[in-house]
Amino acid sequence: MTKITYIAHDGTRFDVDAANGSTVMENAIRHSVPGIEAECGGACACATCHVYVDEAWSAVVGTPEAMEEDMLDFAFDVRPTSRLSCQIRVSGELDGLVVNIPERQG
């Protein structure tokens, strides 16, 4: 299991044990982490699972692929560490990953 910490926009922390091979989004949904809507179910067809990867983890997580970049255009308040959590695959090297959940608009 890999530990992921989700930090809601109000500062609330959610520490989750995530199975390797799953996605950061799937684990947020499974553990009812607020702020990750995942309307498309993880198909990289919306931006409702947008997160900010903690600066310390951005190099390990990597940069978005072209399709994810296109979807991030629909996210609110995109930053250099913005990612769609459906596109971050959990692995042992991500043990301790911290992601921040932006405040949702609408």
Side-chain angles (χ1 to χ4, degrees), residues 40-84:
C40 76
C44 197
C46 72
T48 61
C49 69
H50 175 217
V51 296
Y52 304 125
V53 174
D54 186 89
E55 292 276 340
W57 287 95
S58 61
V60 178
V61 170
T63 56
E65 300 287 330
M67 189 166 83
E68 181 181 353
E69 280 277 0
D70 290 346
M71 279 298 112
L72 281 168
D73 289 343
F74 297 101
F76 180 78
D77 194 18
V78 175
R79 300 178 184 173
T81 61
S82 288
R83 290 293 308 269
L84 297 182

Side-chain angles (χ1 to χ4, degrees), residues 11-39:
T12 306
R13 294 174 63 97
F14 299 86
D15 294 314
V16 167
D17 288 323
N20 290 342
S22 63
T23 67
V24 171
M25 179 218 73
E26 290 168 339
N27 287 284
I29 298 300
R30 191 172 295 126
H31 293 92
S32 302
V33 175
I36 298 198
E37 304 302 325
E39 289 175 7

